[in-house]
Every structure is written in C-alpha cells, then in structure tokens.
Amino acid sequence: MTRILPESTPPAPSGSDDGWRALFSRPHRAAVVVMASGVGLYAMNLYFTAALLPSVVADVGGAAYFAWASTGYLITAVIATMFAQRILATRGPARAYVVAYLLFAAGTVLSALAPSMELFVAGRAVQGMGAGLLTGLGFAVIRGTVPEALWTRATGLISAMFGVGTLIGPALGGLFAQAGAWRVGFATLAVAALALAAVTLRALPTEKPARSAQPPVPVVPIVLLAATAAALSVSSILGGAAAVVLVGVGLAVLIAFLVVDARTAHGVLPRLTYSRGNPLKWVYLTVAAFCAGVMAENFIPLFAQQLAGLGPLTAGLLGAVLSFGWTAAQLFSVNASRVTATRLIRLGPVLMSVGILGYGLLQLAEANVVVVVLWALLLLMAGAGVGLAFPHLTVAAMSAAVDPAEGAKASAAVSTTQLITFTLASAAAGNLLTLGAGSPADGARWVLLGVGVLTIPGILTAALLTRSHRRSMP
C-alpha cells in the first residue's frame, strides 16, 4: 500500500534537539554537509550571478544576451536533474557528487575567463549542468544515506539551503560587484566547488553499485521539456504578439511533454506520477505552486526601490524576508509528528497565497513606512507557508514508492519540478511586468497578483494529497 508520509516520524525521546544532534552525529555529519552545500551552492549562485551581471555586461558587452545568462543556466539545470538518479545508480554517491561539483567548477571558470558575453553564457550553461545534478542528488541520496527517522530533518535542512542561498547570494555578489571584481567572484565559487568535491570523497560511500541494466534515456520528453523552457524564457524578453505566440507554443509543448512522458516506459517523472490513485502527482503540483510564489523574490528589491524609495541594501534585505520565513519555519516544521505534518501540508499553501496576494494588493506608489512594514509581515507569512509544508512534501515523494530505486527517482524529481516551475514562473512574471509598462505600481501589481494566482491551485492539490494520505492509512 502506498504511503504518503513515513509510518512515523519519531520525535526525539528527550526533546526536538536530539533529532538534530542525531543528524549531525559522526556517522551522518559529513554526508549531510555535502548534500546541503550542493543545494546551497546552486541557490546562492542564482542570486550571486544576478548581482554581478550588470558588471559583466559593462566589462565584456553583449547586453542583448543578458537574459540568456539565466535562461541557459536554468534550461541545462532542468535537464541535468533528470540524469541525477542515473549517475547515482552507475557511479555511486561520492563519484556522482564529484562529477556534479567538477561540472559546476568548470562552467564557473569558463565564465570567469570569458572575454565575451557569448562565452560567459556558455560557461553558465555548463555551470547549470553541475547545479542541476547537485539539486537532484541532494534529495535522491538522502534515502540511502540517513535512516528513515531522520528523513524529514535531512530534507528540511537541504531545502532550507534554498533560503540560505537567497540570503547570502545577493550580499556576496554585491560585494564583488562593488569592488569591480566579478571575475574574482566567479573564481571564488570555483574554488569552493573544488573544495567540496574533495570533501565528498571522504564523506560519502565510494563503492560503485552493483552493475544493473539502466533504462534508456527519455530523449523525446527531455527535448520537449527543454523546448518548453526555451520558448517561455524567450517570450519574457519579447513584446507584443510575438510574446503571446511564444507563450502559446510553450504551453502547447508542455502539454505534449506530459502526454509523451506519461506514455514513456522510463520517462522524466516516475511512472507513479501518472498512476491513478497514486498521490505523487499532488506532491509535485503542490511543490510547483510553492515555487511559483517564491519567484516573487526576484522582483521585491526592484519594487521596493521604485515604490518606497528604499536604498539597494534595505531593498535587498526586504527581498530576503520571504526566504528568512521559509528557513525559520522549516527548522520548526521538521519536528512535527505525522498528524501535524498532514495539517501543515494543508496550511502552507494557504499562508503562501494570502501572503503573496496581500503583498501584491499593497503595491502603492510612494509607500510609507507602515506599508513597508506590512510588506515585510506578508512576505514573512508567505515564506513561513513554504517552510511549514516543504520538508513533508519531499518526504511524501520519497515515501510514495516501496521500491528504493523508484523512491529515489521520485525524490530527485522534486528538484526537476522546482527548476521547471522557476523557469515557467519567471517567464510568466516577465510577461506580466510588461503589462504595467509606464507605471511601476501597476507593473508590481500585475506581477505579484499574477504570481499569487499561480499559488492558489496548491491549496487544492495539498488537500487532495492529504486526503490520499488518509485513505492509505491502515
């Protein structure tokens, strides 16, 4: 019988701190640090690069390729997550991680040395391959590395690294940009990746798994998914009818991807996703709703400067409030019992939607201090909604299959879902921003209310997920 959450998430016998102490005990400490650092490196790099891009363009030119510095990274990251389980099965945990870190370092070095924007984008694409593997491996390795009683805490810590990366990335990138040393900044990232690769060989098992037949690569679904990401990403930098046409093409190709993937024996998403009665589809759709809301972070500093006249540093700190709420709530949420976890899964999307929609409605020209404080509170609420539910969604994915290999693939697909959603939501937000051209307040409301609407389906999918959970209980 399919389980949605583990039969128990045993509370520590003498307090919640014991669970964290067990996670960071000698048998697990190094492995957990490697897994968390990989996801943190990916998340931090997104915002780190965004802060440095104006300096890159000023130095090497190529403003026309500005958007592709992110697009190339995201598209290759989406594709790479699909190979995480395959590399893990053929290379083992340690070697799989080393491959990911070396790819990330190689792409980072190429970008750091690039004499032109075209080569910088090429480096970002290679970097995205490593980053996609790091995010996919971060969740896939948990099941075979730590005991089931620690799954929730491990997934909570690793997914919290997305929030930590958002806090560190803009500040670190801003420091290198302020010093006029963007190449040094990328070189520093490469050194960090190489250091983590060296640590990995000691932290994770190095034994190769037993030889087994590997399923064929789902080439057609991967191509369709990459085409979807490309079409929607390009649409966000075009205007008028061309953007509308590309959005329509992107959505049509996305539907084609789902149809083809469902009919492919070894597709991008686990077969259980398309099985009638299996809750995995509701896990992924709820994750997608959360990730759509998180995309609002990319615009918070811009809107804060335009509407409230905040300085860059203060506006950046406001942009980090959502991630702070996410991170703080996760550290509380991972201690929840199974019954409480089910309630948190249902509560999380509600808090996210109310927070983002309320924040969107309060986008006012010449906003005063009271409005800014309300912005911060609503963003904190939205972030807390993600943090309360997200660790339990990842565990639900791992627990949706009895077979360990399918469970690992299901958990790795959480990262694939995140990256796909980030790409789609980013494209949607870019198009919505153009609808408010000429009025910063109108542009802000279009983007944030549009993103808020995308989070609402998560309320329904979370309810369907927890209903499936009740039915599966003995």
Side-chain angles (χ1 to χ4, degrees):
M1 184 174 292
T2 300
R3 291 186 293 156
I4 309 303
L5 295 172
E7 288 302 322
S8 62
T9 305
S14 60
S16 61
D17 288 344
D18 286 358
W20 290 111
R21 190 177 300 117
L23 183 65
F24 286 101
S25 62
R26 186 179 296 273
H28 313 305
R29 183 189 307 136
V32 169
V33 168
V34 167
M35 292 185 288
S37 297
V39 173
L41 194 63
Y42 158 76
M44 185 272 289
N45 182 55
L46 281 174
Y47 300 95
F48 178 85
T49 304
L52 289 176
L53 268 177
S55 299
V56 176
V57 172
D59 187 16
V60 303
Y65 296 98
F66 190 96
W68 279 97
S70 296
T71 301
Y73 179 85
L74 284 171
I75 289 175
T76 55
V78 169
I79 295 172
T81 59
M82 304 170 199
F83 290 88
Q85 182 57 35
R86 176 179 295 271
I87 293 178
L88 182 62
T90 56
R91 300 285 182 180
R95 289 183 175 85
Y97 259 101
V98 168
V99 168
Y101 279 125
L102 291 181
L103 276 173
F104 186 93
T108 306
V109 169
L110 180 57
S111 291
L113 299 176
S116 66
M117 194 62 172
E118 291 88 342
L119 284 177
F120 180 84
V121 170
R124 287 284 286 163
V126 176
Q127 195 185 48
M129 294 178 192
L133 287 177
L134 288 173
T135 56
L137 290 171
F139 293 111
V141 171
I142 288 175
R143 181 165 178 149
T145 306
V146 300
E148 184 174 350
L150 297 176
W151 281 1
T152 303
R153 285 180 175 84
T155 56
L157 175 67
I158 291 172
S159 55
M161 295 306 294
F162 283 98
V164 173
T166 305
L167 292 170
I168 296 174
L172 192 59
L175 287 175
F176 282 108
Q178 187 74 26
W182 68 267
R183 294 184 189 275
V184 176
F186 275 92
T188 303
L189 278 187
V191 171
L194 291 173
L196 286 168
V199 172
T200 297
L201 291 174
R202 296 186 177 184
L204 294 177
T206 57
E207 297 84 4
K208 287 186 178 181
R211 280 190 166 277
S212 60
Q214 291 298 310
V217 176
V219 176
V220 175
I222 288 176
V223 170
L224 290 173
L225 193 54
T228 300
L232 292 174
S233 296
V234 173
S235 74
S236 65
I237 61 175
L238 298 177
V244 175
V245 170
L246 271 180
V247 169
V249 170
L251 293 177
V253 177
L254 178 61
I255 293 171
F257 157 73
L258 293 172
V259 172
V260 172
D261 196 54
R263 297 177 178 177
T264 302
H266 301 283
V268 171
L269 297 176
R271 292 290 295 167
L272 293 174
T273 308
Y274 307 103
S275 299
R276 187 173 183 178
N278 190 280
L280 200 53
K281 64 178 76 65
W282 307 128
V283 174
Y284 294 150
L285 288 171
T286 307
V287 167
F290 279 130
C291 292
V294 168
M295 282 307 301
E297 284 183 319
N298 290 342
F299 298 89
I300 292 169
L302 172 66
F303 297 153
Q305 292 180 59
Q306 290 179 336
L307 302 181
L310 299 183
L313 177 59
T314 307
L317 291 174
L318 180 66
V321 169
L322 192 151
S323 290
F324 176 78
W326 176 354
T327 304
Q330 277 192 156
L331 297 178
F332 159 78
S333 175
V334 294
N335 295 315
S337 65
R338 184 176 59 164
V339 173
T340 302
T342 301
R343 294 170 181 165
L344 293 178
I345 289 174
R346 301 189 70 162
L347 176 62
V350 175
L351 294 178
M352 164 61 87
S353 295
V354 171
I356 295 297
L357 290 171
Y359 173 59
L361 290 171
L362 283 177
Q363 296 303 293
L364 308 173
E366 300 181 4
N368 57 29
V369 174
V370 174
V371 173
V372 172
V373 171
L374 290 174
W375 286 350
L377 292 174
L378 288 165
L379 290 171
L380 191 65
M381 176 192 297
V386 183
L388 291 176
F390 208 93
H392 307 293
L393 291 172
T394 308
V395 172
M398 283 192 288
S399 306
V402 176
D403 178 65
E406 279 297 300
K409 185 175 181 180
S411 58
V414 171
S415 296
T416 304
T417 303
Q418 288 179 283
L419 290 171
I420 293 171
T421 306
F422 286 152
T423 305
L424 303 186
S426 177
N431 285 309
L432 288 168
L433 187 61
T434 63
L435 297 178
S439 170
D442 287 345
R445 281 192 290 268
W446 270 108
V447 170
L448 296 169
L449 293 177
V451 168
V453 168
L454 292 177
T455 67
I456 292 175
I459 299 173
L460 174 61
T461 56
L464 291 170
L465 170 61
T466 53
R467 182 181 300 172
S468 299
H469 172 43
R470 287 197 300 270
R471 289 176 179 172
S472 69
M473 293 176 64

